[in-house]
Amino acid sequence: MVRAIYPGSFDPMTLGHFDIIRRASVLFDEVIMAVVGNPGKAPLLPVSERMVLIEKVVKDLKGVKVGQFQGLTVEYARQNHITVLIRGLRAISDFEAELGMAQTNKQLFPELETIFLMTKAEYSFISSSTVREIAHLGGDVHQFVPTPVNDYLNEHFSRGIK
Ligand code: ADP
């Protein structure tokens, strides 16, 4: 049984993230979509809300679980018997950052294999940071995020952040 992890901020989850987790769920027995609570970043959504939204979006995907952690991904992977780390790639700029991270993780935990899934062209321009900016200003993001995320953002930020 191969257990994988798809870690990220997912602040908030976008259609690009959904595409990656859907495709990963076909490839591995179990995939944990793990929200990383990075204390350095000022989030739009608290970790707990991000998890609730992800749970709604992935509920019909076989073998997908939702988790969260702080700290090193390799430590979470080691403790949870995870052997595959999934990351999504959009552009060369992602690749540069991801290559360094993958090589560092390999050094820290050699049994963990990083696998990259290339984004579908139609989602390649979507990022959580763009969605955050639009939501912040009270704009419409329904083309970029799954319906539960859109509903949540409309409810909380439809007139912008006060
Ligand atoms: P992080 O802060 O860890 O980069 P993100 O939530 O921004 O977290 O992204 C999590 C993962 O999803 C990363 O591997 C990122 O490259 C990937 N990703 C983000 N947006 C997309 C997209 N539109 N298509 C495919 N992969 C994406």
Side-chain angles (χ1 to χ4, degrees):
M1 134 130 187
V2 180
R3 181 178 286 162
I5 183 169
Y6 177 36
S9 309
F10 307 120
D11 184 30
M13 182 180 185
T14 67
L15 289 177
H17 296 136
F18 180 66
D19 181 51
I20 298 292
I21 188 67
R22 188 186 54 73
R23 287 158 57 198
S25 74
V26 179
L27 297 173
F28 304 102
D29 302 300
E30 193 177 298
V31 186
I32 302 170
M33 188 157 172
V35 178
V36 186
N38 183 342
K41 287 188 191 171
L44 182 67
L45 272 60
V47 168
S48 57
E49 301 285 356
R50 285 181 247 167
M51 288 176 74
V52 169
L53 291 175
I54 293 171
E55 267 157 13
K56 284 186 191 168
V57 176
V58 303
K59 67 177 182 345
D60 295 328
L61 295 182
K62 206 169 149 276
V64 174
K65 293 185 173 168
V66 182
Q68 65 98 22
F69 67 93
Q70 289 193 1
L72 288 178
T73 304
V74 287
E75 283 314 317
Y76 183 84
R78 212 192 297 269
Q79 282 163 19
N80 292 281
H81 310 286
I82 290 164
T83 53
V84 174
L85 169 56
I86 295 157
R87 296 288 285 174
L89 283 182
R90 283 163 294 185
I92 294 289
S93 49
D94 274 348
F95 179 77
E96 283 178 5
E98 294 291 342
L99 178 66
M101 212 152 34
Q103 288 170 333
T104 308
N105 285 336
K106 193 80 190 154
Q107 199 78 17
L108 294 171
F109 184 19
E111 290 79 14
L112 186 67
E113 216 48 84
T114 300
I115 304 235
F116 295 107
L117 296 179
M118 313 299 155
T119 185
K120 251 183 165 173
E122 64 207 86
Y123 300 134
S124 62
F125 65 94
I126 301 178
S127 70
S128 294
S129 58
T130 308
V131 168
R132 281 200 300 276
E133 260 180 65
I134 299 172
H136 205 110
L137 299 169
D140 178 10
V141 293
H142 83 273
Q143 302 168 67
F144 313 129
V145 297
T147 303
V149 176
N150 186 50
D151 292 347
Y152 179 95
L153 294 176
N154 277 339
E155 195 180 320
H156 290 78
F157 306 117
S158 60
R159 271 172 258 110
I161 292 177
K162 282 124 218 149

